[in-house]
Amino acid sequence: MAAARLLLRLAGRLESANFLQSVCGLLGAEQGPGPWQAHCSLERGRLVLSSHSFPGASERLPIQRPPFCPFAALDQQPGGSRTELTTTRGVDVAVAVILQSSDQTVLLTRRTCTLPISPNIWVPPGGHMELDEEILECGLRELQEECGLQLPQDQFSCVLLGLWESAYPPRLSWGFPKYHHLVLYMLVISQESQQQLQARIQINPNECNRTEGRRRSPTSAPARVHTPADNPNRSGGQRTGQRGDQVCSPALAATSGEVKFTGSPDQQRKDGSL
């Protein structure tokens, strides 16, 4: 069994997060949309969460799951209904980067149209956290691998936004979950403008889909920049990264070679697109 990336402090004990159980549920989430609060310890290669403050906790972040989370549904069923699932697996940890330029745009990448999971939708760059890797280190690595962007150390700041529990298939009625992720969203604010960042974006056509067991970002087309108005399929009532009732985990993102900068979340709220 691989080293646990996500640990939960429950009743004073440190335990590996179980693939079969909702992380939000284990932290005491009640019925309703959330979010709930989680105390976090961010150590190299692993994330420790608790519903209560504990020694070493350095962050207090909101955590949320979709209302149709299959693990929440499994929590409400008898244990025998879980026998088809592998019980030795843990929960994967991923980092999603919201890169914001100095002129208030954010970077998105588009998943390939051939992917069986959430194809052809826009998601922030991101991916799985490696063993012994820091959160920021993971986010910067994913930016470089997926977009060719290396941010100068003295020209950006970052803040952790929150945690999202993600599963695929996203509904229990679609079948037992094959993936279970906890995605940590991180806002990285660059001192460079959209134009400066775009000039340095390089999509690597030789990126393979899977290297040494870790998902990469295959590409097939030149990178290009869009504004929100450029997207004819953009719907004001639909959030980026979602299609209907399906929520895409950035941990499984694979780009088609396209990137775009769009208005920052604050700007999109003002114009009614969020």
Side-chain angles (χ1 to χ4, degrees):
M1 180 178 177
R5 298 293 196 273
L6 178 63
L7 300 174
L8 303 179
R9 187 174 288 273
L10 304 172
R13 299 195 312 272
L14 204 57
E15 303 177 9
S16 297
N18 191 312
F19 180 89
L20 303 182
Q21 294 178 285
S22 167
V23 174
C24 291
L26 289 170
L27 294 176
E30 302 292 339
Q31 294 293 329
W36 304 275
Q37 295 299 313
H39 296 266
C40 311
S41 171
L42 308 174
E43 303 175 14
R44 292 196 68 88
R46 68 179 191 174
L47 180 64
V48 180
L49 300 182
S50 174
S51 56
H52 304 286
S53 181
F54 61 92
S58 57
E59 301 282 346
R60 186 168 179 262
L61 298 173
I63 182 171
Q64 197 164 7
R65 66 188 179 192
F68 44 83
C69 173
F71 296 106
L74 281 172
D75 284 348
Q76 300 172 10
Q77 294 188 4
S81 64
R82 305 181 186 189
T83 55
E84 295 181 36
L85 289 170
T86 304
T87 57
T88 57
R89 294 170 59 186
V91 178
D92 291 316
V93 176
V95 176
V97 178
I98 310 298
L99 176 62
Q100 180 175 302
S101 67
S102 61
D103 46 353
Q104 299 290 297
T105 62
V106 294
L107 176 69
L108 298 175
T109 63
R110 189 160 70 176
R111 290 168 57 80
T112 60
C113 61
T114 57
L115 287 174
I117 300 174
S118 303
N120 207 39
I121 66 172
W122 294 95
V123 295
H128 290 83
M129 188 171 65
E130 299 285 5
L131 185 65
D132 295 329
E133 191 173 40
E134 297 282 5
I135 300 296
L136 178 58
E137 184 182 1
C138 174
L140 294 179
R141 173 180 56 76
E142 290 293 340
L143 270 178
Q144 181 179 359
E145 289 179 356
E146 295 189 3
C147 305
L149 271 176
Q150 289 184 287
L151 301 182
Q153 289 295 325
D154 58 347
Q155 294 188 29
F156 70 90
S157 60
C158 64
V159 61
L160 300 179
L161 299 177
L163 299 154
W164 178 259
E165 184 171 14
S166 174
Y168 189 86
R171 290 180 178 271
L172 193 56
S173 60
W174 295 12
F176 282 112
K178 298 178 181 178
Y179 301 104
H180 191 177
H181 292 87
L182 195 69
V183 184
L184 198 156
Y185 279 80
M186 177 175 63
L187 174 65
V188 175
I189 304 174
S190 174
Q191 296 179 16
E192 297 179 276
S193 68
Q194 169 189 331
Q195 186 175 12
Q196 290 173 311
L197 291 169
Q198 175 63 41
R200 294 194 290 107
I201 288 177
Q202 297 179 2
I203 299 298
N204 180 6
N206 296 318
E207 279 288 293
C208 60
N209 190 38
R210 199 180 282 264
T211 301
E212 296 178 350
R214 184 166 58 80
R215 293 174 182 82
R216 296 271 187 161
S217 301
T219 58
S220 59
R224 58 193 175 98
V225 172
H226 301 268
T227 64
D230 292 330
N231 186 356
N233 298 319
R234 185 170 177 270
S235 170
Q238 182 173 322
R239 299 191 180 201
T240 301
Q242 296 183 6
R243 187 183 64 178
D245 60 359
Q246 182 170 335
V247 178
C248 168
S249 168
L252 302 178
T255 60
S256 66
E258 290 188 72
V259 300
K260 73 173 179 179
F261 286 91
T262 187
S264 70
D266 286 342
Q267 285 183 324
Q268 293 185 47
R269 289 189 184 96
K270 289 177 182 178
D271 67 18
S273 61
L274 276 185

